[in-house]
Amino acid sequence: MLKTFLLSAASAAILACAAPLGASAADLMAIMTPSHDNPFFKAESEGAAAKAKELGFETLILVHDDDANKQSQMFDTAIARGAKAIVLDNAGAAATTAAVQKAKDAGIPTFLIDREINETGIAVSQIVSNNYQGAQLGAEEFVKLMGETGPYAELVGREADTNAGIRSGGYHDVIDQYPDLKLVAKQSANWSQTEAFEKMQTILQANPEIKGVISGNDTMAMGAWAALEAAGRKDVIVVGFDGSNDVRDSIKAGGIKATVLQPAYRQAQLAVEQAKAYLDTGKTGAEEKQLMDCILINADNAGKLETFALKD
């Protein structure tokens, strides 16, 4: 009978110390992501778990909350439980390398999703969205919606996250070509809806003339939109990134104007499929670094979006 285990970081640390190395399921896969409070990471975890179950694995679901120390403890847990493979959305490109190496040294392959690490040859796969391509799509839509002119703000993700920088760079490589678009505020809200709400309130007070907001993810876009609504500024154009159901619903209701879909659910499932192939044959059939293109979501196709996937 297949089982799924959901453990906090604290529980993971206890298990890492308590479980003997031989106490393992025959085919256990550890799935590690940031907090499931963010629907993107929850979709990753659910997608990986569903595919793992389909392929005959038991699953150990772990949440590291973007804390590299917790993540390291979870790797200890996976090793102690005798996991056959690890699927990981990591807690920092630099901070994660040692943990992935530790698993490799223990004979456990790691398959990265969503975020890369700084090294190659340690993880078996690094499957990520083409964040630069997606950011350019979002920026092109933003420029069009803004009419190529006006003051705007940018909300940036967690500074230690490689994706935050790549998306911001992709945005500016497009937007900066339009001299009448003026960046009046750029602040990190650390991927957080609550923090984005607070930052947007501050930005609005300092820049009441603001016409648009481009956000590094949908969670921050939702926080920004909530602050704009509370201030009676539904005229401000907001564009996000991720393709969440929350932003889909806002687009359909005439709120947020667009987002960029990165296929989180499919990406996680692909990692599990490659883990299965690697365990069976010693190969994945793909290069270590793999990019998946993103898709622009606006009022034209928002109705087809469901759980980070575009339905036919």
Side-chain angles (χ1 to χ4, degrees):
M1 184 176 181
L2 297 171
K3 300 177 182 178
T4 296
F5 302 92
L6 178 60
L7 297 179
S8 67
S11 299
I14 292 169
L15 268 175
C17 297
L21 288 174
S24 63
D27 292 292
L28 180 68
M29 182 174 291
I31 300 166
M32 307 179 190
T33 69
S35 172
H36 292 185
D37 289 345
N38 185 319
F40 181 86
F41 302 129
K42 183 178 180 182
E44 285 183 332
S45 185
E46 290 177 348
K51 180 57 68 172
K53 181 177 179 181
E54 178 187 321
L55 296 179
F57 291 94
E58 292 188 0
T59 55
L60 180 66
I61 308 298
L62 299 166
V63 174
H64 57 61
D65 295 321
D66 280 313
D67 184 320
N69 290 326
K70 290 181 182 179
Q71 179 178 261
S72 181
Q73 293 169 358
M74 290 174 180
F75 269 78
D76 290 339
T77 297
I79 293 167
R81 291 288 303 272
K84 300 297 183 184
I86 295 168
V87 173
L88 172 69
D89 190 340
N90 73 70
T96 298
T97 302
V100 176
Q101 182 68 60
K102 178 168 56 177
K104 182 180 181 181
D105 292 343
I108 303 172
T110 300
F111 300 81
L112 297 174
I113 54 174
D114 182 41
R115 303 167 177 176
E116 298 174 303
I117 57 174
N118 291 343
E119 303 287 340
T120 58
I122 302 173
V124 175
S125 297
Q126 299 194 51
I127 308 169
V128 301
S129 298
N130 191 337
N131 283 277
Y132 184 77
Q133 170 260 350
Q136 289 193 307
L137 284 179
E140 288 164 1
E141 183 74 358
F142 183 73
V143 168
K144 183 172 110 178
L145 291 164
M146 291 283 288
E148 302 182 8
T149 185
Y152 76 98
E154 180 186 2
L155 292 175
V156 185
R158 190 182 301 274
E159 292 179 357
D161 188 334
T162 304
N163 289 345
I166 292 172
R167 291 177 194 173
S168 183
Y171 287 157
H172 285 283
D173 282 351
V174 173
I175 296 171
D176 292 353
Q177 298 178 51
Y178 298 87
D180 292 332
L181 284 167
K182 305 292 186 184
L183 180 65
V184 296
K186 179 179 180 179
Q187 296 191 28
S188 172
N190 293 303
W191 305 128
S192 165
Q193 184 165 334
T194 301
E195 197 168 335
F197 180 88
E198 294 167 353
K199 293 288 177 70
M200 192 70 246
Q201 286 183 315
T202 302
I203 290 169
L204 265 179
Q205 289 171 0
N207 304 278
E209 77 286 1
I210 198 166
K211 184 180 171 185
V213 179
I214 192 159
S215 172
N217 78 343
D218 279 354
T219 306
M220 295 188 298
M222 288 296 293
W225 182 249
L228 290 163
E229 277 193 304
R233 292 298 310 277
K234 294 184 181 181
D235 59 306
V236 176
I237 291 158
V238 178
V239 171
F241 195 116
D242 276 342
S244 71
N245 285 1
D246 286 341
V247 166
R248 172 203 65 191
D249 293 344
S250 182
I251 291 171
K252 290 169 70 175
I256 292 172
K257 293 297 184 286
T259 184
V260 175
L261 169 65
Q262 52 171 338
Y265 196 88
R266 177 59 193 143
Q267 201 172 88
Q269 292 198 317
L270 183 60
V272 174
E273 290 167 3
Q274 291 186 9
K276 172 66 171 170
Y278 185 81
L279 293 171
D280 287 348
T281 70
K283 299 178 181 178
T284 65
E287 299 291 329
E288 176 184 338
K289 293 264 188 135
Q290 301 163 53
L291 286 176
M292 298 181 72
D293 279 347
C294 301
I295 301 168
L296 179 70
I297 303 296
N298 56 24
D300 295 336
N301 60 355
K304 297 180 180 179
L305 181 63
E306 178 59 45
T307 317
F308 300 97
L310 206 57
K311 308 297 184 183
D312 293 330

